[in-house]
Amino acid sequence: MADPATRPVHGDRRMSDVEALMWNLEKDPALASTFANVTILDQAPDPERLRRTMDRAVKLVPRLRQRVAPALGRLAPPEWQDDPNFDLGYHIRHIALPAPADERTLFDLAATLASAPLDRTRPLWDFTIIDGLDGGRAALFQKLHHTITDGEGGVRMSAEFIDFSRDGQARPEVVEVDDDDEPEPANLLNTVVQTVTHNVRRQLGVARRAVKNAADLARHPDKLPGVGSEVVGAAQSLIRQAAVTDHARSPLWTERSLRRRFEVLRIPLDDTKRAAKVLGGSVNDLFVAGAAAAAGAYHRAKGAEVEELRISMPVSTRTDRSMGGNAFTPARLTVPVAGKGAIDQFEAIRDRLTATKHERALEFADALAGVINVLPTSMLVRLARQQVETVDFATSNVRGAPFDLFIAGAKILANYPMGPTGGTAFNVTVLSSGGSLDIGVNIDSAAVDDPELLRRCLEDAYAELLSAG
């Protein structure tokens, strides 16, 4: 029997309802959910070696060679099907900057590449080797659609093309096995049957949960008085998360566009851990507290006072070690940004983050997505627009590897993530890389008219927080 590590990792044939929602909302380009990463390397990677590595990766992770096939009338989520015309060469590009180019030139190019939509008729990813960076350096730009996986899943996928040394390590050959779940030929009858079957399974799941809850109450009638308060609590949580009606809080970040500016910064990982421990929270608490303090400082620098801003963040639900797929629930919360300083606001932000992670409404995210996915596209986009207009900026935290890594013979010097703005003023995402936290700020330049000021405010806020350690 083949080593399980060499067998392909097959995901679900259909998107989850949340993934389908991201796919459907992309009809509005401002709501696109593609994310990217700018990896700076100490030298140019070997293109042929990278191609060989990726050829193995797409065998191990079949989702990378599959395209999206919509379901009948959107009554079920789209499914993934092998692309009969899959061409690895299309997904791995190679370009050069006019040497010697600096990082600003690289990041401007990355903002342009990230904004270009992926071809929806092909597998939803591409890599671009970028030569010509000053000091003999190069970069690898990686773009992936959010329906394939989330940030953490993307990091796990990257293990299939990242090495632990410059020479690389031996990887066992992938042993492809017959897929017993091969989709039936596409025709109207099969499409209708599959759509009906999917919806029956969904309703049976709801019914099973209802029966289980009723049986639990029958065995433990003492729990009955608490049911009413749980229902009320769940409804209140649902209103806080899914039915926000007011607008975003910023008086400055009101415009939206498709223009993007990418800014980056780095902070030491060990110093961050020490400071977070002294302050009584986690690395993520410190990361969000710094982003909030910087947002407040930006407003004060522009002569605008604001007490609170609303942020969005993904709450991870990943419990396995599998690659691919999305395992997160989107959440919203308000954070204080008034002029007390990052350290003084840390405790309040930590407590609000903790409370948000335990919101009951997060359990209903997939079910709600399934309900609204069947709405006409125009109505679906309008509802989504109304909700994203309540959020000022987005945050995300992705855990990487705490040691040196290599790609096709080139050492990774920095790894800057580019999260989707999703209709907000900017997305600030952190990725641990080696001994640093690499922070990428993907900015809507119509909303934030001074991106460099925002970056300086972030640098000052994290410097203040790290001083606690």
Side-chain angles (χ1 to χ4, degrees), residues 1-15:
M1 182 178 294
D3 181 349
T6 65
R7 290 179 178 271
V9 181
H10 291 279
D12 293 334
R13 267 182 54 192
R14 288 195 182 274
M15 293 181 185

Side-chain angles (χ1 to χ4, degrees), residues 314-334:
V315 176
S316 177
T317 58
R318 192 175 296 275
T319 57
D320 58 26
R321 300 303 300 172
S322 63
M323 291 181 292
N326 283 275
F328 77 96
T329 300
R332 288 180 284 189
L333 70 152
T334 56

Side-chain angles (χ1 to χ4, degrees), residues 115-131:
S115 299
L118 290 161
D119 186 343
R120 291 165 72 94
T121 67
R122 296 175 180 264
L124 301 170
W125 66 277
D126 61 54
F127 284 8
T128 304
I129 299 171
I130 304 173
D131 292 333

Side-chain angles (χ1 to χ4, degrees), residues 409-422:
K411 182 180 179 180
I412 295 178
L413 302 178
N415 241 341
Y416 295 115
M418 299 181 69
T421 59

Side-chain angles (χ1 to χ4, degrees), residues 423-434:
T424 67
F426 62 90
N427 178 306
V428 54
T429 299
V430 62
L431 171 63
S432 55
S433 175

